[in-house]
Amino acid sequence: MASYTILIGLIVLIVGCPLAIGSVYIITYSAMEIIVFSLLLIHIWTFKRGNQPSNTNSESKTKRPELPDNYYRKTLLLSLPLFLFLLIALFQLVPLPFWLLQNLSPGTAAMYTKLGMGTGYHSLTLSVYSTTIMVLKYGAYIGIFLLIATFEPANAGLRRGRWIKALFVALFAVGFGEAVYGLYIGLNKSDSILWFMRTVNIGIVSGTFINPDHFAGLLNMVLFCSLGLCMTRVGLKKSNWRRKKTVLYSLTSEQALVFWMILVGMLCMMLGVTFSLSRMGHISMLVGLIFLIVMHSVKKPKLGSLAIIAIVTAGVLWGTWKGLEPVLEKWRQAENALYDNRFLVWKGTMRLFSNFQTFGTGLGTYELVFPPYKPIELGSQVYEHAHNDYLEILSETGLVS
């Protein structure tokens, strides 16, 4: 029962998080965190229960199946950088004596002094509220990683990869649905997301996301998962002498409907990324597809490469038929957008980092702390992020991260 509960919970997260307007509001990502932590507790409880010796002569049906030796130890070792990063963020929340704060982060101490708070105990973060929110988020991300990496269902019906296939099918369904919905409301220039009204990005394909870049990021991840699912349907991993027969059977059998549905879904996802007008989304998709083509070209026959090229060609032709002028116009603006805006943001972020080099300003505090360092050329525009994850993390957590 616990295994099915965890699997259903994972599917709810996969489907629910994108549909909840991208889970960018506190009520939605808080619900996500509660579900993740609850599933993690169930997983830990069943793990401990599975390790207890059985008092019966027969094997218990709910006993945890054995995994390779040192599997959990290796998983925790690979997760160590994630835990260390989370530990740094937690340390930013600890109230420290002011004299110690001056030694650890002079810039933070100077900020408190300017506010008339140069005594007592203060934390390294300039916003306990913002850092606490981010700590809970990152904790949930690490939790979901550990949950999937160490989940081995006790129920025989979910073993042998069936639960992984269920997750992949859920991912495909979400990507397909998001792409179709995004293309529908985007091409019709609808001003709504589900039952909510929006005032920005009208006419841009973004699915149930407010930010089209987030939408493109989701589809890029799901696209390649779907590509793997598609290749398993045509038997590309089978031996060479059976491959041609397997491919022909997959394309003409009664189960061919599943293959063609996956193929159409992938084409819709490619169109969704294309018309999201996300430049980095375009680059990520192209780099990923080129990488797969190169990897499959190493093997003979090159059926995998031909399949990927065929899918890409179909997506480009379909996009051309719909009209690629908005996409081309977005790329024409790339030079101005980069040098006139983002380069200035990065320059201001580096100035911010220079004053908080060791421990940063606190995880999640970029929007609050950046305005004094924002170049005057950027005007009154508010920047929630630096448009560069590395610089933003560097400014928020310092060199210790």
Side-chain angles (χ1 to χ4, degrees):
M1 183 64 183
S3 298
Y4 283 104
T5 301
I6 293 174
L7 178 60
I8 292 173
L10 292 173
I11 294 176
V12 168
L13 288 172
I14 291 173
V15 176
C17 288
L19 292 180
I21 317 300
S23 295
V24 296
Y25 297 110
I26 187 170
I27 187 172
T28 52
Y29 61 70
S30 295
M32 178 270 293
E33 292 163 2
I34 292 173
I35 294 175
V36 171
F37 294 139
S38 299
L39 294 177
L40 197 58
L41 288 175
I42 295 174
H43 180 52
I44 294 173
W45 177 73
T46 54
F47 178 80
K48 290 183 176 180
R49 187 181 179 186
N51 281 336
Q52 292 177 354
S54 178
N55 296 324
T56 60
N57 294 327
S58 60
E59 287 291 328
S60 174
K61 293 183 180 181
T62 60
K63 185 177 180 179
R64 178 182 60 84
E66 293 296 332
L67 288 172
D69 294 339
N70 298 326
Y71 177 84
Y72 294 101
R73 185 181 302 174
K74 291 179 181 179
T75 301
L76 291 175
L77 184 61
L78 290 174
S79 307
L80 186 59
L82 301 177
F83 285 110
L84 291 177
F85 180 79
L86 188 61
L87 187 63
I88 293 170
L90 287 171
F91 182 66
Q92 291 179 326
L93 294 171
V94 177
L96 302 174
F98 192 75
W99 63 267
L100 181 58
L101 189 66
Q102 286 178 312
N103 290 291
L104 294 178
S105 182
T108 304
M111 184 72 72
Y112 282 124
T113 302
K114 290 181 180 179
L115 296 173
M117 302 167 62
T119 59
Y121 289 78
H122 302 288
S123 58
L124 286 165
T125 176
L126 296 175
S127 174
V128 174
Y129 172 78
S130 300
T131 302
T132 301
I133 288 178
M134 293 305 298
V135 165
L136 291 173
K137 281 186 180 181
Y138 277 95
Y141 301 154
I142 296 174
I144 198 70
F145 167 74
L146 291 176
L147 182 61
I148 294 177
T150 61
F151 178 59
E152 186 68 16
N155 303 80
L158 297 179
R159 294 183 193 173
R160 284 181 283 183
R162 290 192 180 100
W163 69 275
I164 297 178
K165 184 176 180 181
L167 295 184
F168 269 72
V169 171
L171 282 170
F172 169 76
V174 168
F176 192 6
E178 284 282 348
V180 171
Y181 179 73
L183 289 169
Y184 174 77
I185 64 173
L187 297 178
N188 286 281
K189 300 187 183 303
S190 173
D191 59 353
S192 64
I193 300 179
L194 298 179
W195 51 87
F196 301 99
M197 301 296 292
R198 66 176 178 179
T199 58
V200 295
N201 297 324
I202 298 176
I204 299 178
V205 176
S206 61
T208 58
F209 290 76
I210 298 174
N211 190 326
D213 294 323
H214 298 169
F215 170 75
L218 171 72
L219 290 193
N220 271 324
M221 291 186 289
V222 177
L223 174 62
F224 294 103
C225 292
S226 302
L227 187 58
L229 191 63
C230 181
M231 288 183 174
T232 60
R233 295 298 303 176
V234 298
L236 292 181
K237 291 185 178 181
K238 296 183 180 296
S239 57
N240 293 342
W241 67 275
R242 295 182 57 191
R243 187 176 284 116
K244 292 183 179 180
K245 182 178 179 180
T246 305
V247 173
L248 183 62
Y249 175 77
S250 298
L251 297 177
T252 58
S253 67
E254 295 179 355
Q255 297 181 353
L257 179 61
V258 178
F259 167 79
W260 291 113
M261 182 179 295
I262 296 175
L263 184 61
V264 172
M266 292 169 58
L267 292 176
C268 289
M269 292 178 211
M270 290 182 61
L271 285 178
V273 174
T274 302
F275 288 103
S276 69
L277 306 186
S278 172
R279 290 184 290 263
M280 288 309 300
H282 299 161
I283 293 174
S284 299
M285 182 174 66
L286 290 176
V287 170
L289 291 171
I290 292 172
F291 176 78
L292 285 179
I293 291 173
V294 172
M295 292 298 293
H296 279 283
S297 296
V298 176
K299 300 180 180 181
K300 295 181 180 181
K302 303 177 178 62
L303 187 58
S305 299
L306 294 176
I308 297 171
I309 293 173
I311 293 171
V312 173
T313 303
V316 171
L317 292 176
W318 196 355
T320 304
W321 175 60
K322 289 293 183 182
L324 295 175
E325 184 58 32
V327 180
L328 298 177
E329 180 62 27
K330 184 71 173 181
W331 275 98
R332 294 190 192 104
Q333 301 170 0
E335 183 175 355
N336 293 334
L338 177 62
Y339 291 102
D340 292 347
N341 291 325
R342 295 194 177 181
F343 182 76
L344 293 174
V345 174
W346 299 342
K347 183 178 179 180
T349 303
M350 289 304 299
R351 288 177 51 215
L352 169 62
F353 164 70
S354 65
N355 288 343
F356 303 88
Q357 294 185 13
T358 308
F359 285 95
T361 62
L363 190 64
T365 61
Y366 184 84
E367 182 182 0
L368 299 175
V369 182
F370 181 67
Y373 300 89
K374 183 177 66 175
I376 192 173
E377 295 88 348
L378 297 176
S380 60
Q381 186 172 354
V382 177
Y383 284 86
E384 298 180 2
H385 302 284
H387 298 287
N388 185 312
D389 291 339
Y390 303 103
L391 289 180
E392 185 171 335
I393 291 295
L394 191 63
S395 67
E396 292 182 345
T397 57
L399 294 174
V400 294
S401 63

